[in-house]
């Protein structure tokens, strides 16, 4: 039985990046032997085990062959005669298909080290095409390693284009797509993820609404800003979809099965954008409408995120409007429902009185602007 360090840890070490998780491949062993050595089997589909002390993952060397379409339908074969090279060959990119022996020797049958030197994201073999998720993974690695100068190798781009033409992307389940988008939004250059998807034709299948010249560049510049400001996932996502119409944003985020906070902020940002953009001066009624629609009174934290998304979505010349919203909010917040109740207002009339007084306070605050 032999043990090798594989995948991301070997790649990141060669890149001089911090190593997060260490994954291992074991050859020449059976599940029974692993269990006898105290390893705990996890995962029903693959023979993967946890080390009794380090809790790191040890997988028996395996091959995978595709049977059906999309992400499902792999036949896994694992036995003591599966070699390390067999296991590395089923992997996506050459930079992810290197291993290291316990003595520190590099095992690199597919030229991963050279691709690191030439800054290339290159597929290991035609088996890349068996898993459409790899298109998204490659785009995500491009987004992560872009600052180091990495690009997708032309043959890999050609293969990805071919996979897209064959309709492979349609077979991905929404949850997996979202998982990759979510991770991509936090990579070093999130915009590169969408550029690579656009280049290979996958963007039209995944978020078609973004795939137009002006919309695409507006989306990317808003996303760049949200990334620069270290925004949360929901803020980054809302910035990305900010050039879409509210209806487009709503149906796409639903189809993508984005989490509720992302759907919610995307909906709010896109629905308020037109109102804010058409407002040309400090108008108390429009400002209160926006504050009401954002339900700032009960959703203060969400409002803060909304301002961050709008900050990235609005052109520079319109940034002043965010200051107006803040002042209006501050003024309106000074209205005390309790005081109005003490004056005898209740029910519907109380609501109307609060609204009227908020409007008045916002108007007064305008005079102080
Ligand atoms: N892998 C693959 N195809 C996939 C998913 C994973 O070939 N669809 C392989 C890659 O060789 C990868 C390894 O499995 O290196 C482990 O995958 P994962 O843990 O998802 O990624 P890492 O490469 O470790 O990258 P990250 O730093 O993002 O965790």
């Amino acid at each position: 039985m032999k043990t090798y360090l594989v995948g991301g840890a070997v790649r990141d070490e060669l890149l001089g990046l911090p190593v997060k998780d260490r994954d291992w491949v074991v050859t020449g062993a059976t599940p029974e032997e692993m269990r006898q050595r105290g390893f705990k089997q996890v995962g029903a589909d693959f023979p993967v085990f946890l080390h009794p002390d380090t809790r790191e993952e040890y997988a028996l060397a395996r091959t995978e062959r595709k049977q059906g379409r999309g992400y499902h339908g792999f036949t896994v074969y694992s036995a003591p005669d599966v070699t390390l090279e067999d296991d590395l060959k089923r992997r996506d990119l050459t930079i992810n298909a290197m291993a290291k022996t316990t003595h520190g020797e590099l095992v690199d049958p597919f030229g991963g080290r050279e691709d690191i030197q030439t800054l290339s994201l290159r597929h290991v073999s035609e088996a890349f095409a068996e898993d459409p998720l790899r298109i998204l993974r490659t785009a995500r690695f491009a987004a992560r390693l872009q600052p180091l100068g990495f690009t997708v190798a032309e043959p890999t781009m050609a293969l990805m284009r071919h996979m897209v033409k064959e309709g492979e992307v349609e077979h991905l389940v929404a949850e997996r797509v979202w998982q990759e988008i979510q991770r991509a939004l936090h990579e070093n250059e999130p915009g590169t993820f969408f550029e690579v998807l656009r280049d290979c034709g996958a963007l039209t299948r995944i978020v078609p609404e973004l795939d137009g010249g002006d919309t695409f560049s507006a989306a990317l510049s808003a996303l760049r800003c949200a990334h620069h400001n270290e925004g949360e996932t929901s803020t980054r996502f809302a910035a990305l979809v900010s050039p879409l119409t509210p209806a487009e944003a709503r149906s796409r985020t639903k189809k993508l099965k984005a989490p509720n906070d992302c759907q919610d902020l995307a909906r709010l940002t896109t629905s308020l954008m037109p109102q804010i953009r058409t407002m040309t001066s400090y108008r108390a009624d429009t400002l209160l409408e926006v504050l009401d629609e954002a339900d700032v009174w009960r959703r203060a934290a969400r409002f803060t995120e909304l301002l961050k998304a709008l900050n990235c979505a609005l052109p520079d010349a319109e940034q002043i409007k965010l200051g107006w919203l803040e002042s209006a909010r501050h003024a309106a917040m000074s209205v005390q429902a309790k005081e109005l109740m003490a004056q005898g207002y209740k029910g519907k009339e109380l609501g109307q009185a609060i609204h009227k007084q908020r409007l008045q306070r916002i108007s007064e605050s305008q005079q102080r602007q």
Side-chain angles (χ1 to χ4, degrees), residues 107-129:
V107 184
D108 179 21
F110 305 104
R113 183 159 49 180
E114 195 185 328
D115 283 333
I116 283 187
Q117 275 152 7
T118 58
L119 309 172
S120 258
L121 299 170
R122 184 186 307 281
H123 62 287
V124 171
S125 77
E126 296 303 304
F128 180 96

Side-chain angles (χ1 to χ4, degrees), residues 6-9 11-12 20-21 23 62 64 71 88 90-93 95-97 131 133-134 137 140-141 144 176 180 183 187:
V6 287
R11 174 197 70 219
D12 289 343
K20 282 172 282 147
D21 304 317
D23 295 320
R62 67 176 188 264
E64 283 169 358
Y71 197 67
L88 295 176
R90 70 169 168 84
R91 292 172 187 259
D92 51 2
L93 300 171
I95 64 164
N96 290 337
D131 179 2
L133 193 75
R134 290 174 168 175
R137 279 177 58 87
R140 187 162 58 75
F141 279 109
R144 183 186 303 182
R176 300 305 297 253
E180 289 299 323
R183 293 180 76 182
E187 294 290 6

Side-chain angles (χ1 to χ4, degrees), residues 235-254:
T235 319
R236 289 168 191 239
F237 183 66
L240 176 76
V241 299
S242 61
L244 306 190
T245 67
E248 285 172 336
R250 184 173 300 131
S251 76
R252 183 54 53 192
T253 54
K254 224 174 176 171

Side-chain angles (χ1 to χ4, degrees), residues 193-258:
F193 174 79
F194 296 97
E195 277 164 354
V196 170
L197 293 185
R198 195 180 191 209
D199 273 4
C200 70
L203 191 64
T204 309
R205 318 289 172 116
I206 293 168
V207 198
E209 301 80 5
L210 282 181
D211 199 9
D214 288 348
T215 309
F216 189 68
S217 47
L220 255 57
S221 97
L223 174 59
R224 204 167 294 125
C225 160
H227 175 66
H228 180 78
N229 295 345
E230 296 176 8
E232 315 230 340
T233 305
S234 58
T235 319
R236 289 168 191 239
F237 183 66
L240 176 76
V241 299
S242 61
L244 306 190
T245 67
E248 285 172 336
R250 184 173 300 131
S251 76
R252 183 54 53 192
T253 54
K254 224 174 176 171
K255 279 186 195 138
L256 285 172
K257 297 196 180 157

